[in-house]
Amino acid sequence: EMTLRRVVTASGRVAVSGTGYIPEGESVIEPVALDGTPTDADAALSEARVLLIGGTLANNAQLTREGEQWQVHGDPTEAAFLVAHHKMAEVPVRVAAYERSGEVPFTSERKMMSVLTHHHGRDEDRIYSKGAPDVLLTHSTHLRVGDAAVPLDDVRRARLDAAIEELSAEGHRTLGVAYRVLDPGELTPTAEGHAGCEHDLVFVGVVGIMDPPREEAGAAVHEARAAGIRPIMITGDHPVTARRIASDLGITEPDGRVLTGHELDELDEAGFAEVLRTTNVFARVAPRHKMHIVDTLQADGHTVAMTGDGVNDAPALKSADIGVAMGITGTEVTKDASRMILGDDNFATIVAAVRQGRVIYANISKFLRYLLSSNLGEVVTVFLGVLLASRIGLTDAEGAVVAPLLATQILWINLVTDSAPALAMGVDPEIDDVMAVPPRPRDARILDARTWARIAWVGVVMGAVTLAAYDLFLPGGLVEGTSSIETARTAAFTTLVLAQLVNAFCARSRTASAFHGLFLNPWLWVAVGFGLLAQVAVVHLAPLQRAFSTTSLTLAQWLLCATLASAVLWTQEAVKLVLRMTR
């Protein structure tokens, strides 16, 4: 919530207490002139009142009370004037004596607005202007001192510039107020005729409005930069204010470069593109500059997300890859032009959304790695089982090849190991630090060559341990066994199921150990537990034995199957350890 904290005029400074939109607080006057010499407190009070009157009249915001809550409708910066004018004696009464009869609206190009007012008591027409102090000073020829207007010479202009710089360096958003008493019958300030009345203004002073960043904003910027996301500040504020706020947030260094819209206009396309690569803060910019910045960044190969809340932001939001409108302060135009609406107007929410998006992408990746490697294990088992049947004893008495896995067993494996564990991975929490890696290139594939190599490796290991079970149990082959083909096939079938259940934990991360975050996903444990119980049932329950051609296994045989299946875990742990050591 923006709060007007400082008022600086020719004869003094006023510190305004209170926070937020509650119109309660005090005004403490320090009667010190711009050059530091003591002045009259009454003169400083008179100037401050005129400034707040002008800022309140040149204003389209509304401050209302709903129960115990104060609500603002309109621009928060203008609302800060409405709140502040209640904190100084006599100002609300004096504002009530004026009646507005015309307006020259604020635009990003003009950076000021003016209203025509009529004071009933004095029967006087007066124009009040509010806007960027440096812009108002170019329209001003006099300075309000006490109740008089004195010429605004170079010395006074320099002192005002210094006061504005000081407020800006403290992180205040600065706005100036000026006025002029109109001659009888003078041109009414309309959009077509403002040049006829916004001249020879009497500059009253400057206010400092504090809009402190949210506490979580700095951490969010740091997290975004660590993730390879480059935050850029584009603002209409004073360059010094922009640098201070950007520095506090970590967007730029304390002495970082800040470019203004005027400086951008002096650059050619090549120079514009070059400064965009190194500059993160742009101040006093117009809507066309925002569009130019977005288009140039996109032409340089960047994916651009643009935030905004005003009507003038709509073209840039539309042009950006992802336009983000403010849900609270944003206009309907910006919301319609955007791809996303930020419900709480909080930058940290954007970063949180990026994190969640990366987690979802990682879960899709691990889902595919798990399914493809597990299915490849079945393919390797059947293919090599047939190819190496005579070497591992997978033949009958006549020497014919025996099928390594029956069709019903393959269907069972796909039902038990491919469904529930894979679905559980879809809700897997963050295992790797997804914000510690740079963004993916646009043409990056979800399964690259290295991932396919890992999938192939896991599938081969899975098939190898399954065939090893055959070799250990069957007579003949590399290792002499004593079991029947039914027992051997049941053991191999069980080994493959257990290997795929183990693989569910291994597939959760490319580099992190399977033991990292082992208990973060209870759904995965439920899925694996269900698969294990289902396999015990298919091995030991008579109806399922008949359906799947299995036979009961002893505890020792179960332990042997589990030991063989664990090879999938240990081989992947070795690969991940090497990757972590070499990364």
Side-chain angles (χ1 to χ4, degrees):
E1 295 179 351
M2 294 190 181
T3 306
L4 195 151
R5 296 285 184 84
R6 298 285 187 272
V7 176
V8 178
T9 60
S11 302
R13 300 169 181 264
V14 179
V16 184
S17 64
T19 59
Y21 296 135
I22 301 175
E24 298 176 359
E26 297 180 350
S27 301
V28 179
I29 299 175
E30 181 184 2
V32 177
L34 293 173
D35 60 0
T37 59
T39 59
D40 180 35
D42 291 337
L45 177 60
S46 174
E47 296 161 5
R49 283 174 175 166
V50 173
L51 186 148
L52 290 179
I53 290 171
T56 303
L57 291 171
N59 201 308
N60 291 316
Q62 294 180 348
L63 180 67
T64 59
R65 184 169 185 171
E66 299 178 7
E68 297 298 323
Q69 299 293 325
W70 288 90
Q71 300 292 333
V72 167
H73 303 280
D75 186 85
T77 305
E78 294 190 332
F81 271 99
L82 297 184
V83 174
H85 95 278
H86 285 287
K87 301 176 182 179
M88 184 170 290
E90 297 185 25
V91 172
V93 176
R94 297 190 182 191
V95 168
Y98 286 89
E99 178 184 356
R100 279 180 48 169
S101 57
E103 176 184 348
V104 183
F106 175 90
T107 67
S108 297
E109 289 78 15
R110 288 170 18 87
K111 290 184 170 47
M112 62 179 291
M113 72 171 294
S114 298
V115 293
L116 177 66
T117 65
H118 180 75
H119 193 283
H120 295 286
R122 293 194 295 264
D123 193 24
E124 173 186 271
D125 291 329
R126 180 177 293 200
I127 181 174
Y128 278 104
S129 300
K130 171 174 63 59
D134 49 336
V135 174
L136 280 185
L137 284 172
T138 63
H139 293 263
S140 300
T141 57
H142 291 74
L143 176 66
R144 175 90 177 200
V145 179
D147 294 327
V150 300
L152 187 57
D153 56 21
D154 291 340
V155 174
R156 292 189 175 99
R157 286 182 184 273
R159 290 171 181 171
L160 283 170
D161 288 337
I164 295 168
E165 289 280 338
E166 182 181 350
L167 283 174
S168 300
E170 294 173 355
H172 290 93
R173 173 174 291 182
T174 56
L175 282 175
V177 173
Y179 73 95
R180 183 168 68 87
V181 178
L182 298 178
D183 297 330
E186 190 172 343
L187 180 66
T188 299
T190 63
E192 294 76 23
H194 66 264
C197 55
E198 290 179 330
H199 64 85
D200 296 329
L201 300 178
V202 179
F203 193 83
V204 183
V206 185
V207 298
I209 298 175
M210 182 62 70
D211 182 21
R214 301 189 188 213
E215 294 182 1
E216 64 272 22
V221 168
H222 176 76
E223 186 177 11
R225 298 190 68 171
I229 303 169
R230 178 186 166 199
I232 296 177
M233 176 187 287
I234 307 174
T235 178
D237 286 342
H238 192 280
V240 177
T241 303
R243 180 186 289 112
R244 171 61 185 271
I245 295 176
S247 174
D248 291 343
L249 292 175
I251 295 176
T252 189
E253 301 300 324
D255 57 348
R257 186 180 184 183
V258 179
L259 286 178
T260 64
H262 177 71
E263 292 171 323
L264 292 177
D265 288 334
E266 296 177 349
L267 299 172
D268 57 17
E269 285 298 323
F272 195 95
E274 182 61 31
V275 298
L276 274 184
R277 298 188 181 103
T278 57
T279 305
N280 292 334
V281 185
F282 301 88
R284 288 286 192 257
V285 295
R288 69 177 188 278
H289 297 126
K290 297 179 183 180
M291 274 287 292
H292 199 179
I293 290 171
V294 170
D295 293 342
T296 304
L297 287 172
Q298 289 175 321
D300 208 21
H302 296 284
T303 299
V304 181
M306 174 77 183
T307 64
D309 56 5
V311 174
N312 293 323
D313 295 325
L317 292 172
K318 191 73 174 178
S319 179
D321 296 281
I322 304 173
V324 184
M326 300 296 105
I328 299 175
T329 60
T331 62
E332 291 301 319
V333 174
T334 58
K335 293 177 183 179
D336 290 341
S338 301
R339 295 177 182 267
M340 184 171 73
I341 297 175
L342 197 58
D344 59 358
D345 291 10
N346 191 346
F347 176 77
T349 303
I350 299 177
V351 179
V354 171
R355 175 182 289 275
Q356 187 61 34
R358 291 189 174 190
V359 170
I360 292 173
Y361 183 89
N363 286 348
I364 294 173
S365 178
K366 68 181 69 172
F367 176 94
L368 294 175
R369 292 199 307 270
Y370 171 69
L371 286 180
L372 292 173
S373 60
S374 295
N375 287 329
L376 185 59
E378 299 170 31
V379 173
V380 170
T381 297
V382 175
F383 178 75
L384 293 183
V386 173
L387 190 66
L388 304 175
S390 60
R391 292 181 177 272
I392 61 177
L394 198 56
T395 57
D396 58 17
E398 289 75 24
V401 175
V402 177
L405 294 173
L406 302 179
T408 53
Q409 293 173 345
I410 294 175
L411 290 174
W412 175 260
I413 293 172
N414 291 335
L415 175 65
V416 172
T417 65
D418 288 359
S419 57
L423 291 174
M425 288 184 184
V427 294
D428 208 34
E430 183 178 350
I431 302 301
D432 299 317
D433 186 358
V434 296
M435 300 298 278
V437 294
R440 304 181 309 276
R442 289 192 176 193
D443 57 351
R445 298 182 178 182
I446 191 170
L447 297 177
D448 55 17
R450 290 185 178 182
T451 303
W452 278 112
R454 288 279 294 276
I455 290 172
W457 167 250
V458 174
V460 169
V461 171
M462 201 175 294
V465 297
T466 303
L467 296 177
Y470 268 117
D471 190 39
L472 291 173
F473 279 83
L474 287 175
L478 301 176
V479 179
E480 186 67 28
T482 59
S483 301
S484 64
I485 184 62
E486 289 78 11
T487 301
R489 183 183 284 125
T490 301
F493 173 40
T494 301
T495 299
L496 183 55
V497 169
L498 295 179
Q500 294 195 9
L501 294 178
V502 169
N503 188 37
F505 293 100
C506 299
R508 298 175 72 201
S509 173
R510 298 173 186 268
T511 57
S513 169
F515 300 100
H516 174 68
L518 188 60
F519 299 102
L520 291 179
N521 188 352
W523 291 109
L524 183 59
W525 280 97
V526 170
V528 171
F530 168 77
L532 182 59
L533 292 176
Q535 185 62 24
V536 171
V538 84
V539 169
H540 291 284
L541 296 182
L544 294 177
Q545 286 178 336
R546 290 191 296 271
F548 294 95
S549 302
T550 59
T551 186
S552 298
L553 298 177
T554 66
L555 178 60
Q557 290 170 335
W558 269 98
L559 291 175
L560 178 58
C561 293
T563 301
L564 290 171
S566 68
V568 174
L569 170 65
W570 304 123
T571 53
Q572 291 200 65
E573 286 295 300
V575 171
K576 291 178 180 180
L577 178 61
V578 172
L579 290 175
R580 290 197 300 272
M581 293 176 64
T582 57
R583 186 170 59 181

